[in-house]
Each structure stands twice: as structure tokens, then as C-alpha cells.
Amino acid sequence: MDLQEFITEADAIEHEAAAAFQGAADADTLEAARIAFLGDRHGRVKALQDALRGIAKEDKPAAGKRFNDVRTRLTELHASRQSAVRSRASDGACEDRSLPPRRQWRGAKHPVTLVIEEIEVIFRELGFTIAEGPEAETEWYNFGALNFPPNHPALDAHDTLYLEGEGLLRTHTSPVQVRTLQRVPPPIRVLIPGTVYRRDFFDASHAPAFAQIEGLCVDEGISFVDLKSTLNRFAERFFGAARTRFRPSYFPFTEPSAEMDVQCGICGGSGCAACKGTGWIEILGSGMVHPNVLAAAGVDPERYTGWAFGMGPARIAISRYGIPDIRILYDSDVRFLEQISE
Ligand code: DAH
């Protein structure tokens, strides 16, 4: 092949390959054209390269330059055509590019979960571990072992759904006190979060299913001082420098019993809608574990004493975030949740 023939062949390849690449409407056609022209084994550019060897020495620089130009141009042409064909393939027939872009959704924790986790951290620091128990309970664990006398008026507040057989949906997390005492010997310091059920109307301050957190501490020589100091410490950590007060109360499973209030964080104690004008917010029930409860769980009440508490993290979330109605927490309205969730 002389130089003239070489140049003519190079022109022809360039021209035909360019037309084939540009005319390829889809990836398969373009790939076939690539193999025909730029293929390593039988491509026409490869054949042209082989022909270089037969060119007279003095014509080699010119032929070599022409060859390089053709190969570079065709390689570039192929690459740009390939990206055009690819983006056309992703252009689905039903895609509407005039639509606004979709928002990015970011998952976050529910305000009640945030409160529970924060409480868990504080009690872990005080040496408590976390335990759980079943939501479907027996009457004995939910009431009997907790010293509820049959037909006692305290049962009224704990009306619930009864399951087939002898089961019921637990009305509080207190039955897990008994389960824990049966499972491990004292000393016990345990925090028990969980869902509980009541036959309550869904109103601004009640829900038929809600979260509770139970706490239990049992050992030799535990007194009401331990109860008060631990719960005050918790209130200090959780609510800041809030003041607390204990009011006498009644629960069948504690004696004596007390409810703990914290000074309202929204008005600072002067009285507002969140604290119903009292300056205080009730956050938990507590007391010294009744000897009958220890005995029912197989723990010797002559040797061991303990204290316990139960609180509602949804109530706490409401006062903390100034939420006017508990139902908002259960509506799953993202516009609300986004304002609080982290
Ligand atoms: N179980 C009680 C309720 O749901 C709350 C409670 C009060 C739990 C006093 C306790 C306690 O452990 O000591 O109303």
C-alpha cells in the first residue's frame, strides 16, 4: 500500500465510521459499529494500523500522523455518542421533567422515644439496667401479685381488654417488677419501658395505648430516702434545676405511696395552661414496694425492702415541648413531628 492509498483508506474509514456512530439510535447498534471500526481484533482501524507496516519508510511519519488523527477522532466520537444513547435510554416515556423534584425524607425519632431514651441514659448512669416484659399478661401478674384486692376500686382505673382464656392487655408496666424479682435475686436496680393499655377515651390527656417507664430498686436496707434522692437526682438531670414535691398517694403495690410533681418548666411555677394554673406538673407515681408484692414474687420481705416508680413519657413530652393535646403525639403528622424530632 502506498501513501496515497493509505490516506484514501483512512478517509473512507473516518467517513463511514462517523456516519455509523451518528446513525446508531441505540446501544446495541452503536456497539456493533464500534466493533466494526474500533474493534481490537477485526476492526477496520486495526487493519489500517497493520497497513502502516507496509508503508515506505519516508512516508511513515505522514501516514502515522493521519492514522493517529483518525483513531483519536473516532474514539472521541464514539464516546460522545455513547453518552447520548445512554441518557436517551433513561428517558423513560412516562417521565415528566416538568415535575418539581421529590423531597428528601429523613427518618427521625418520635418525641416520646426521645424522652424514653434520655430517661434511660440517666438511670443507666445511676446503675440501673433495662428490662422488658410481655404486653399480654395474666390477671395474677397485672393485679393479684401486685396486691390489688379483688373488687378493689383501684381496679376501675385499670379497665382493659381481656383476651381469650385468662389473658389481658397489661394496664401498667408494674407486672414486670414481679417478673424481674422472680428472675433475679436482689440487689436489683432495673428500668422497664413498655406499652400499656387502658379502657380510656382518646382525649386531650388520655390515650388507650401509651408508653410507661417503671423503675424498681430492691436490696437490703433500702429506704424512702433512696427513693427521694434518686428521683430528685433524676428530675434535676432531666428537667434542669426544677424543684420537686412529693404528695401522699395510694397504690395497692406500694406503702407508703407518693406522687412526684416537678415545677412547671413553661411558666416557672407561676401557673399557666400547661400546669393548669398550679405551677406543678405531676410526672410519676412511686412508693416503697409493698411487702405482699415481695412475698408474692418469692422475695423475703423481712430481709429486703425496695422502692418503685411508674411514669408516662408521653405526659413528660407534652409538658417539655408545650404540646397542648396528647393526641397530636399519635397522629403521625409529619408537619408536627418534624418540629421536635431529632
Ligand atoms: N403502675 C402505676 C400506674 O400505672 C404507676 C406506678 C405507681 C408504678 C407507683 C409504680 C409505683 O411502680 O411505685 O398507675
Side-chain angles (χ1 to χ4, degrees), residues 158 171-172 174 177 198 212 214-215 251 253-254 285-287 308-310:
H158 288 257
T171 59
H172 49 176
S174 303
Q177 285 190 31
R198 301 264 174 107
Q212 272 195 345
E214 190 88 11
F251 303 102
F253 38 91
T254 45
S286 64
F309 69 87

Side-chain angles (χ1 to χ4, degrees), residues 235-319:
E236 199 182 300
R237 286 275 274 104
F238 188 87
F239 295 98
R243 286 177 54 204
T244 59
R245 71 177 184 189
F246 287 80
R247 284 179 291 105
S249 184
Y250 171 77
F251 303 102
F253 38 91
T254 45
E255 181 61 33
S257 306
E259 267 158 320
M260 182 167 120
D261 299 342
V262 293
Q263 200 166 51
C264 178
I266 293 171
C267 63
S270 57
C272 67
C275 58
K276 302 195 183 88
T278 63
W280 296 93
I281 291 180
E282 179 193 321
I283 60 156
L284 58 81
S286 64
M288 298 305 292
V289 180
H290 197 290
N292 290 353
V293 175
L294 295 174
V299 173
D300 180 3
E302 296 297 329
R303 179 172 171 197
Y304 293 106
T305 50
W307 60 270
F309 69 87
M311 61 186 159
R315 288 267 169 87
I316 293 175
I318 279 183
S319 70

